[in-house]
């Protein structure tokens, strides 16, 4: 199973920042894992993260999944 929170921690995005966007990140994590379960030979190859510059923005993730 993929864990977006651990991945972001490895990329240097601290827990305090992750807490601000927990709901969005949790939904994204569920969607990634659903996709991986439906396609058992696939895996996450790369995730690009762009955090909002203001508090009203949204987290942007560019996720590459392949075989």
């Amino acid at each position: 199973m993929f864990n977006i929170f651990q991945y972001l921690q490895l990329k240097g995005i601290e827990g305090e920042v992750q807490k601000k966007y927990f709901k969005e990140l949790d939904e994204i994590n569920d969607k990634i894992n659903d996709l991986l379960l439906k396609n058992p030979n696939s895996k996450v190859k790369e995730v690009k993260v762009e955090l909002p510059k203001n508090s009203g923005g949204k987290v942007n993730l560019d996720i590459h999944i392949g075989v």
Side-chain angles (χ1 to χ4, degrees), residues 1-61:
M1 299 296 284
F2 183 75
N3 185 319
I4 190 77
F5 300 102
Q6 287 178 343
Y7 183 86
L8 294 175
Q9 191 76 29
L10 289 172
K11 292 290 188 179
I13 299 173
E14 298 295 326
E16 288 301 314
V17 175
Q18 293 181 30
K19 284 181 189 178
K20 290 181 184 178
Y21 307 105
F22 179 81
K23 184 177 177 183
E24 286 180 275
L25 294 172
D26 191 44
E27 289 173 8
I28 291 165
N29 194 63
D30 287 344
K31 289 178 184 179
I32 291 170
N33 283 310
D34 285 343
L35 182 63
L36 294 174
L37 285 171
K38 290 176 184 174
N39 301 287
N41 293 328
S42 62
K43 58 185 168 185
V44 176
K45 294 200 172 219
E46 182 182 6
V47 178
K48 294 179 183 176
V49 180
E50 184 180 321
L51 296 173
K53 294 181 184 187
N54 59 40
S55 62
K58 291 191 174 194
V59 176
N60 290 315
L61 296 173

